[in-house]
């Protein structure tokens, strides 16, 4: 990792596709000039360049890529080199159709779009190995090579015979005996017990698709197959360039549903163990018409913090846009100043880069109107180009922050298994489960109060946190229950809620109801979970105030917990809705009902005070102003960001220095609309 570790600048640049412009040498020449003017220091190349590198089977052409490496190196820049498996060439699909995916109906895909290759195909794995080895041999010692970008946005699944065989082998390794599969999936239900391994087919609309344990294992299998394919990709890269770090870009989704959450199809908590640096593609729906700018910023911050937390060290934003996106139903341009603000937010939450898709807008096809640094007008006077250049200049001024860490005393548990199971299972209210969205509701309270939060998996350690928040942790194995018990008994503060601990690791309901260990932690037993229609509400009384309840009301009995809030209506009126239990040296809270954010703010306030979690810089936090902290060698760096169109006044409790102007600041500070100030103590 010599070059990567020694590079002191934040990475600024992004996806560059010179292979789309090989017939226009004057444009390629101008690109290099404009990159320097835009304060770009890093480009990602080769993402979809396989066709230009291997024009026919075994015929390789690298000269055009050689020139890019050399030209970027001449101006002091770096190259992130992608492996091109995300988009195979036409000749490969034509000669070896087995490399194309098969869908759940058994239909074989043809060449087209991208990411529709089979992860199991031996031929595809071999062809990927060859091209990756060629790239590593040719560029492994080039001084411009900074890191490897493996494939692009891994996703999807395949149902071909190779994948079916791998699926059965995966199950044999996990369960050993076929009868253990029958037990884990409760195949006695509807009389579907397996008697031979050949009967265990992938879930399909044409076959078995109502077995919840199977669906859960299929998700796990696809995560493992994706990782296995990735590990096959990096074998020659690790052998030839062991000191060059590797990453692959994770994703977020949900824009047109007004959500913004990490991609749900792959367990990134597991995948992150196999990358040197976490990176992801950040495309929040800025300046939309359905929520405030600050609300969008909160959702964006949540995803940044989740990707930070996977390794709890700086990550990279591998893709973002300096202006509009392309794939939503409505694709709005960022307002002037939003690029600066949203990009600084990336850095504030732990990114060591702002990289774009893409450098230059394409001339045709599905992403030709996606935002880019260089627009179709090729103008350096373009508003977007100027904003990118200004941002790059500011990054250079704050480069001492690169590599800085964070110090979080609060963690929220997100569990991919629970999310998959909640989205698949029957009963209750299917549209209103909203597991990751519920976590964001809890997260919003701490974001508003400028309190750092990690979004961790149940496999990560709990002990470093003063407050652990685990609502709707639907699926639990014995190990997780024991970790929670040890955490609370050792002095930790835990919060959980309805839907927690309902099923085991294969999505089977626990015999006898709620596990006794959870009953002991929270001092309650569970009776029922009442589902409310979208236009139906209850209320709870808490500390003399009444709060609205929506979607779910858990009915509980108290065995030893203290009742903090009670229901105000329905057949369970005056029964507990919020409880607190002392367990060992710690405390556990249980929210039996889903509330709005007003209750969560009032509920968490005394806990924040008791645990001394408040941000020490700000006197009175505001939802519109986000304050995030990074720490490097004993120096605290504060990002003050105004996510509103109004001037905001903030009162500081400390004397700090503006890192860019060297101005000493104390007392009141005014932030203009969209303004970002970077301060240090």
């Amino acid at each position: 990792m010599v070059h990567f570790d020694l590079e002191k600048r934040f990475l600024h640049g992004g996806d560059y596709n010179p292979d789309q412009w090989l017939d226009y040498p004057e444009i390629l020449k101008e690109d290099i000039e404009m990159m320097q003017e835009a304060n770009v220091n890093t480009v990602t190349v080769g993402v979809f360049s396989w066709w230009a590198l291997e024009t026919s089977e075994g015929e390789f052409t690298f000269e055009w890529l050689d020139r890019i490496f050399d030209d970027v190196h001449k101006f002091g820049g770096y190259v992130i080199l992608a492996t091109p498996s995300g988009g195979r060439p036409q000749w490969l699909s034509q000669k070896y159709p087995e490399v194309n995916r098969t869908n759940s109906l058994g239909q074989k895909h043809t060449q087209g779009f991208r990411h529709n290759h089979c992860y199991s195909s031996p031929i595809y794995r071999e062809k990927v190995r060859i091209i990756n080895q060629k790239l590593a041999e040719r560029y492994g010692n080039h001084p411009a090579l900074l890191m490897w970008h493996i494939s692009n946005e891994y996703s999807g699944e395949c149902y071909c015979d190779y994948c079916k065989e791998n699926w059965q082998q995966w199950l044999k390794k996990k369960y050993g005996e076929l009868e253990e599969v029958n037990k884990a999936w409760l195949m006695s239900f509807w009389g579907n017990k397996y008697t031979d391994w050949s009967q265990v087919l992938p879930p399909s609309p044409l076959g078995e698709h109502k077995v919840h344990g199977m669906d859960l294992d299929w998700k796990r299998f696809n995560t493992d197959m994706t990782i296995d394919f990735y590990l096959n990709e990096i074998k020659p890269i690790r052998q030839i360039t062991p000191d060059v770090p590797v990453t692959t870009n994770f994703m977020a989704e949900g824009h047109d549903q007004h959500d913004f959450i990490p991609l749900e199809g792959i367990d990134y908590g597991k995948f992150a163990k196999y990358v040197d640096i976490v990176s992801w593609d950040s495309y929040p729906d800025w300046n939309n018409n359905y929520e405030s700018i600050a609300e969008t910023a909160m959702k964006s911050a949540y995803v940044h913090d989740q990707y930070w937390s996977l390794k709890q060290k700086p990550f990279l934003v591998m893709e973002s846009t300096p202006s509009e996106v392309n794939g939503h139903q409505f694709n709005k341009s960022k307002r002037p100043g939003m690029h600066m603000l949203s990009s600084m937010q990336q850095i504030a939450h732990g990114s060591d880069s702002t990289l774009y898709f893409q450098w230059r807008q394409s001339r045709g096809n599905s992403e030709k109107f996606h935002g880019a640094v260089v627009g179709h007008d090729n103008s350096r006077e373009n508003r977007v180009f100027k904003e990118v250049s200004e941002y790059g200049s500011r990054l250079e001024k704050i480069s001492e922050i690169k590599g800085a860490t964070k110090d979080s005393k609060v963690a929220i548990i997100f569990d991919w298994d629970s999310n998959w199971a909640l989205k698949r299972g029957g009963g209750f209210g299917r549209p209103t489960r909203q597991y990751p969205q519920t976590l964001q509701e809890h997260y919003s309270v701490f974001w508003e109060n400028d309190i750092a939060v990690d979004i961790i998996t149940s496999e990560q350690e709990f002990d470093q946190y003063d407050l652990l928040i685990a609502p709707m942790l639907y699926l639990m194995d014995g190990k997780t229950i024991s970790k929670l018990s040890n955490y609370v008994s050792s002095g930790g503060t835990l919060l959980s809620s309805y839907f927690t601990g309902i099923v085991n690791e294969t999505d089977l309901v626990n015999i006898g109801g709620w596990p006794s260990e959870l009953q002991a932690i929270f001092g309650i037993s569970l009776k029922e979970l009442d589902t409310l229609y979208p236009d139906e509400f209850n209320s709870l009384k808490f500390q003399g105030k009444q709060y609205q309840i929506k979607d779910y009301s858990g009915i509980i009995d108290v065995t030893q917990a203290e009742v903090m809030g009670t229901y105000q209506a329905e057949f369970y009126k005056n029964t507990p809705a919020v409880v607190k239990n002392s367990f060992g040296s710690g405390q556990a809270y249980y929210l039996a009902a889903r509330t709005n954010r007003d209750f969560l703010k009032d509920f968490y306030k005394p806990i924040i005070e008791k645990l001394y979690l408040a941000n020490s810089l700000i006197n009175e936090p505001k939802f519109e102003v986000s304050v995030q902290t990074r720490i490097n060698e004993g120096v605290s760096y504060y990002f003050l960001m105004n996510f509103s169109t109004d001037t905001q006044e903030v009162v500081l409790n400390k004397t700090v220095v503006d890192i860019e102007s060297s101005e000493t600041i104390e007392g009141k500070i005014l932030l203009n609309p969209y303004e970002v100030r970077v301060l240090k103590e």
Side-chain angles (χ1 to χ4, degrees), residues 105-122:
L105 300 179
Q107 298 166 319
K108 176 66 72 174
H109 291 193
T110 60
Q111 172 76 21
F113 196 57
R114 57 182 188 177
H115 303 301
N116 61 348
H117 51 271
C118 172
Y119 291 139
S120 299
S121 165

Side-chain angles (χ1 to χ4, degrees), residues 176-192:
E177 300 295 330
L178 184 59
E179 185 55 27
E180 294 303 311
V181 176
N182 283 320
K183 291 177 181 178
W185 296 353
L186 197 67
M187 293 305 293
S188 57
F189 183 79
W190 285 349
N192 279 334

Side-chain angles (χ1 to χ4, degrees), residues 59-352:
E59 298 294 328
F60 297 95
T61 305
F62 294 108
E63 288 74 18
W64 65 270
L65 188 53
D66 293 345
R67 289 193 295 272
I68 298 302
F69 262 85
D70 292 343
D71 288 345
V72 170
H73 177 60
K74 285 177 183 176
F75 73 77
Y78 283 106
V79 172
I80 298 175
L81 183 56
T83 63
S85 67
R88 64 194 176 283
Q90 290 275 0
W91 60 261
L92 184 51
S93 292
Q94 183 179 34
K95 186 172 182 179
Y96 305 105
E98 72 162 52
V99 306
N100 300 326
R101 277 186 188 163
T102 301
N103 67 18
S104 61
L105 300 179
Q107 298 166 319
K108 176 66 72 174
H109 291 193
T110 60
Q111 172 76 21
F113 196 57
R114 57 182 188 177
H115 303 301
N116 61 348
H117 51 271
C118 172
Y119 291 139
S120 299
S121 165
I123 289 177
Y124 198 62
R125 287 178 172 233
E126 175 60 14
K127 293 300 181 184
V128 168
R129 185 198 64 78
I130 291 171
I131 186 66
N132 291 358
Q133 181 169 328
K134 293 284 186 181
L135 289 169
E137 289 171 345
R138 192 170 188 94
Y139 302 107
N141 291 320
H142 198 289
L145 179 63
L146 186 67
M147 67 184 305
W148 289 98
H149 177 322
I150 307 302
S151 195
N152 181 65
E153 297 180 338
Y154 284 111
S155 62
E157 52 198 32
C158 179
Y159 296 79
C160 72
D161 288 343
Y162 285 122
C163 290
K164 179 182 70 175
E165 182 179 351
N166 282 333
W167 162 241
Q168 292 167 352
Q169 291 300 319
W170 185 89
L171 292 170
K172 288 178 182 178
K173 182 177 180 181
K174 178 173 182 177
Y175 292 105
E177 300 295 330
L178 184 59
E179 185 55 27
E180 294 303 311
V181 176
N182 283 320
K183 291 177 181 178
W185 296 353
L186 197 67
M187 293 305 293
S188 57
F189 183 79
W190 285 349
N192 279 334
K193 288 188 71 172
Y194 297 116
T195 57
D196 189 90
W197 280 106
S198 63
Q199 300 166 359
V200 190
L201 304 178
S204 165
L206 300 180
E208 191 55 78
H209 61 285
K210 292 291 186 180
V211 177
H212 296 170
M214 170 191 274
D215 286 351
L216 187 57
D217 273 338
W218 178 251
K219 295 288 189 192
R220 293 164 173 156
F221 164 74
N222 277 293
T223 290
D224 286 351
M225 278 306 303
T226 305
I227 294 172
D228 188 71
F229 182 85
Y230 158 86
L231 292 175
N232 182 74
E233 279 220 51
I234 67 173
K235 279 182 181 178
I237 287 169
R238 289 295 200 199
Q239 291 169 357
I240 298 169
T241 60
D243 295 327
V244 181
V246 298
T247 189
T248 188
N249 46 341
F250 296 164
M251 292 183 282
E253 61 184 344
H255 315 275
D256 291 324
Q257 291 77 42
H258 302 175
D259 298 325
F260 191 57
I261 57 178
L263 182 76
E264 297 179 284
I266 298 175
D267 184 345
Y268 284 149
K270 190 170 188 178
F271 205 152
K273 299 173 184 177
Y274 300 96
V275 299
D276 295 321
I277 300 153
V278 169
S279 68
W280 76 287
D281 299 346
S282 176
Y283 295 109
D285 203 359
W286 295 110
N287 299 114
N288 62 65
N289 65 349
Y290 54 81
E291 65 189 5
S292 69
I293 297 168
E295 185 73 11
T296 306
M298 181 275 292
K299 295 176 181 178
S300 172
Y302 172 93
V303 185
H304 283 308
D305 285 344
Q306 185 156 6
Y307 285 131
W308 157 272
S309 303
L310 291 176
K311 283 187 173 294
Q312 298 187 343
K313 64 180 184 180
F315 59 93
L316 301 178
V317 171
M318 187 61 70
E319 291 184 22
S320 59
T321 177
S323 185
E324 70 277 0
V325 292
N326 182 76
H328 301 178
Q329 290 298 309
F330 300 93
N331 301 282
K332 194 174 185 65
S333 298
K334 288 181 179 177
R335 305 295 91 177
M338 179 50 73
H339 173 61
M340 180 72 71
L341 176 59
S342 61
S343 299
M344 281 292 187
Q345 185 193 42
Q346 300 168 5
I347 306 300
H349 282 269
S351 178
D352 275 353

Side-chain angles (χ1 to χ4, degrees), residues 460-661:
Q460 292 177 267
E461 295 302 317
F462 302 159
D463 295 345
Q464 69 192 76
Y465 301 104
D466 296 333
L467 175 61
L468 186 63
I469 302 169
M472 297 181 68
L473 193 54
Y474 174 70
L475 184 150
M476 279 197 195
D477 58 17
K479 180 181 177 182
T480 299
I481 294 175
S482 295
K483 286 178 65 177
L484 292 175
S485 179
N486 292 336
Y487 169 78
V488 180
S489 63
S490 299
T493 300
L494 171 68
L495 176 134
S496 196
S497 75
Y498 55 92
F499 268 129
T500 289
I502 303 301
V503 298
N504 70 4
E505 59 269 27
T506 62
D507 205 4
L508 294 180
V509 176
N510 295 295
I511 296 176
W514 216 34
S516 58
E517 298 93 331
L518 294 178
Q519 295 185 44
I521 294 171
F522 294 100
I524 59 173
S525 62
L526 306 188
K527 298 303 178 183
E528 298 181 56
L529 181 58
D530 188 24
T531 300
L532 309 182
Y533 289 111
D535 59 353
E536 186 180 13
F537 303 95
N538 200 330
S539 62
L540 71 83
K541 188 174 183 180
F542 175 79
Q543 295 183 344
K545 295 174 64 176
Q546 291 209 62
Y547 301 86
Q548 187 182 78
I549 290 171
K550 59 185 180 181
D551 300 337
Y552 298 103
S553 296
I555 304 166
I556 62 176
D557 275 350
V558 166
T559 55
Q560 62 184 35
E562 172 191 345
V563 177
M564 302 179 70
T566 56
Y567 291 109
Q568 298 301 291
E570 275 294 346
F571 65 91
Y572 39 90
K573 180 179 180 179
N574 295 325
T575 65
V578 184
V579 300
K580 176 177 68 174
N581 187 50
S582 296
F583 182 74
S585 301
Q587 291 187 322
Y589 296 85
Y590 188 88
L591 305 185
R594 178 176 288 172
T595 68
N596 293 310
R597 203 176 291 178
D598 60 341
F599 168 79
L600 294 177
K601 290 167 67 172
D602 289 346
F603 170 79
Y604 278 118
K605 184 176 180 181
I607 297 176
I608 291 171
E609 293 174 351
K610 179 182 178 180
L611 298 178
Y612 301 101
L613 299 174
N615 190 307
S616 61
L617 179 68
I618 299 297
N619 189 27
E620 294 184 9
K622 297 181 178 181
F623 191 73
E624 295 78 13
V625 178
S626 175
V627 181
Q628 299 296 320
T629 309
R630 292 184 68 173
I631 303 167
N632 201 6
E633 297 182 352
V635 178
S636 295
Y637 298 93
Y638 303 104
F639 291 77
L640 276 65
M641 298 168 282
N642 181 5
F643 288 100
S644 78
T645 56
D646 299 318
T647 299
Q648 300 287 344
E649 181 181 277
V650 178
V651 179
L652 305 181
N653 294 325
K654 301 179 180 180
T655 300
V656 292
V657 175
D658 186 300
I659 192 173
E660 296 173 85
S661 69

Side-chain angles (χ1 to χ4, degrees), residues 654-675:
K654 301 179 180 180
T655 300
V656 292
V657 175
D658 186 300
I659 192 173
E660 296 173 85
S661 69
S662 299
E663 173 191 2
T664 299
I665 301 172
E666 56 185 359
K668 295 180 181 179
I669 183 172
L670 294 178
L671 294 174
N672 294 321
Y674 294 178
E675 186 176 6

Side-chain angles (χ1 to χ4, degrees), residues 15-25 27-28 31 46-49 51-52 64 68 357-368 376:
D15 278 25
Y16 181 36
N17 300 294
D19 42 304
Q20 296 180 18
W21 303 94
L22 295 180
D23 294 335
Y24 302 88
I27 288 181
L28 297 180
D31 279 339
V47 176
F48 296 112
S49 300
W51 71 273
W64 65 270
I68 298 302
F357 179 84
Q358 54 188 326
W359 165 253
R360 178 181 288 276
Q361 283 186 301
S362 301
R363 292 188 65 201
N365 300 322
S366 64
E367 292 179 317
K368 64 178 178 289
H376 293 131

